[in-house]
Amino acid sequence: MEPGTHAGEDTGERTDAGTRAAQGLGAAAHIALAEQHSAHHYHPLPVVIAEAHGAWVTDVAGHRFLDCLAGYSALNFGHGHPEILAAAHAQLDRVTLVSRAFHHDQFGPFCAELCALTGKDMVVPMNSGAEAVETAIKVSRKWGYRVKGIPPHQAEIIVAEGNFHGRTTTIVSFSDDEAARAHYGPYTPGFPLVEYGSAEAIAAAITPSTAAVLIEPIQGEGGVLIPPDGYLREVRALCDEHDVLLLADEVQSGLARTGRTFACDHEGVVPDVYILGKALGGGVLPVSAIAADHRILGLLRPGEHGSTFGGNALACAVGRAVIRLLRTGEFQARSVELGLVLRTELDRLVGHGVVEVRSRGLWAGVDIDPDLATGRQVCEALLARGVLAKDTHGSTLRLAPPLVITADELIWAVAQLRDSLAELGAR
Ligand code: PLP
């Protein structure tokens, strides 16, 4: 089905996949099961996906939708990228997991290839993004005590307002989002919170006990908030001046999403620790890692950190396929080109239901006029028109389509946004 021919209503047209799936439960039954048997810590849009390829997904009734979220950037290479799937299939038939009690033949090559991609000496593979953030926190504290000489239990890691680094108890301890944090105390101390985008605020917060600064180069969950030009460079300089580690959480911004391999590349900044996740697993399985030099990761000794599934053979094989794709530069280039198309189209909506657009590469935050509609209402209207997108913080839409999307599909998606806004009353 071409862009523009999607119908949110049941037209009777179904793909084979949809027909097969429709023989099972219908969407309402699936949603009822989920509502009854899973905790309500998510509020998904009412669509039940049965199959996905490239930038398109198909629901259980056979309707097709253009995916403009891409698993919060976990699907940068699209659904079922053939090279990623081939690597996964081949590895599934060989060996998937040995635990870190033994070596396997994907581990060394994966680590070496990720080191080459990041320009770092060593990596620590984990699974989820939050675990990678936790790993960065732990090694920074260890570095602070063992190398910098911070007195025991005094180490501080400066973090930014509006941050989103995951959901563990320690990570939500330094969130300023009450929904993420309330009722989960007592909170882990040692994380001074400062204004995002202000190097002065970081300078003022640095003390002799500061081990690290942890920031997202672009705040994704915050609404694709791009700090002022020069911010990352100034933070880098401050960290150098005060012997503080710079930890860049590139879980969402990294791996081609912004048009460069890492969002830090836009300012020519190299952090001490890259924190990676999401797209590293190719949308197939959770793969995360941190990458840093020997002076930091060389501090870890057997028994001091770990994960049963971290660095498993299947994850490493998939991660290697992702790194091969990134090495071609094709996806970074697509992000730049398609990002320009997306931005041009979105800018036309400013003043017509859209208050502001922020974007870098193929990643955009679109602030909807709050007097017109909530982000959720706009997402529901988009869903009815065949586009999947997700709101964040009230009236902001976050658009992060897979980098395999075409320019025509993007133009069509923004036309659906225009029509959705008009339907909601925009002029
Ligand atoms: N860090 C950033 C910047 C993120 O955007 C996310 C997830 O959205 C995380 C960390 C946590 O990753 P995960 O959900 O895989 O734990």
Side-chain angles (χ1 to χ4, degrees), residues 113-361:
E113 287 156 16
L114 190 54
C115 283
L117 188 79
T118 56
K120 297 295 186 188
D121 296 338
M122 299 175 127
V123 301
V124 178
M126 298 295 283
N127 310 285
S128 66
E131 285 172 292
V133 172
E134 286 277 354
T135 305
I137 290 169
K138 286 168 77 175
V139 297
S140 301
R141 284 181 167 182
K142 187 180 273 290
W143 174 88
Y145 298 125
R146 297 274 308 281
V147 178
K148 185 166 175 173
I150 296 172
H153 301 293
Q154 301 292 308
E156 289 186 335
I157 297 177
I158 297 171
V159 294
E161 288 168 3
N163 70 71
F164 185 85
H165 296 286
R167 300 289 194 173
T168 66
T169 318
T170 285
I171 292 172
V172 300
S173 292
F174 56 82
S175 168
D176 55 4
D177 175 356
E178 267 313 287
R181 186 175 194 271
H183 311 303
Y184 293 138
Y187 301 112
T188 308
F191 296 95
L193 193 62
V194 304
E195 185 189 343
Y196 184 62
S198 164
E200 294 75 38
I202 289 182
I206 290 177
T207 72
S209 293
T210 307
V213 171
L214 167 62
I215 43 173
E216 296 153 85
I218 292 174
Q219 289 189 333
E221 193 73 19
V224 192
L225 299 182
I226 302 169
D229 274 352
Y231 173 66
L232 297 176
R233 271 197 304 275
E234 286 174 51
V235 176
R236 174 71 276 178
L238 280 170
C239 288
D240 289 341
E241 189 185 333
H242 296 279
D243 197 19
V244 165
L245 301 179
L246 175 56
L247 320 178
D249 183 345
E250 294 254 16
V251 166
Q252 197 166 158
S253 60
L255 310 184
R257 172 51 60 192
T258 66
R260 305 292 295 266
T261 303
F262 304 108
C264 285
D265 294 346
H266 289 280
E267 289 208 21
V269 161
V270 177
D272 297 294
V273 179
Y274 285 106
I275 304 171
L276 304 172
K278 293 197 193 280
L280 193 57
V284 172
L285 74 173
V287 184
S288 69
I290 67 166
D293 282 340
H294 183 269
R295 70 187 173 93
I296 300 164
L297 291 187
L299 294 169
L300 289 177
R301 291 280 169 265
E304 294 179 355
H305 191 55
S307 156
T308 303
F309 283 90
N312 71 75
L314 184 58
C316 288
V318 165
R320 293 182 71 194
V322 165
I323 294 166
R324 280 196 295 278
L325 293 177
L326 286 169
R327 275 203 302 250
T328 66
E330 179 194 336
F331 292 91
Q332 294 87 328
R334 287 189 70 80
S335 173
V336 172
E337 277 168 37
L338 294 166
L340 287 173
V341 174
L342 179 64
R343 184 59 190 253
T344 306
E345 296 300 307
L346 287 174
D347 278 346
R348 291 191 221 279
L349 304 185
V350 174
H352 304 284
V354 168
V355 178
E356 188 184 286
V357 176
R358 298 168 296 279
S359 69
R360 182 145 294 167

Side-chain angles (χ1 to χ4, degrees), residues 31-44:
I31 292 171
L33 275 179
E35 285 289 299
Q36 191 178 349
H37 297 293
S38 96
H40 294 178
H41 55 303
Y42 280 92
H43 183 29

Side-chain angles (χ1 to χ4, degrees), residues 43-45 68-69 72 375-376 379 388-392 396-399:
H43 183 29
L45 289 164
C68 287
L69 180 67
Y72 300 97
R376 174 81 186 186
C379 288
L388 299 186
K390 188 72 178 77
D391 54 301
T392 182
T396 299
L397 286 194
R398 196 173 6 169
L399 300 178

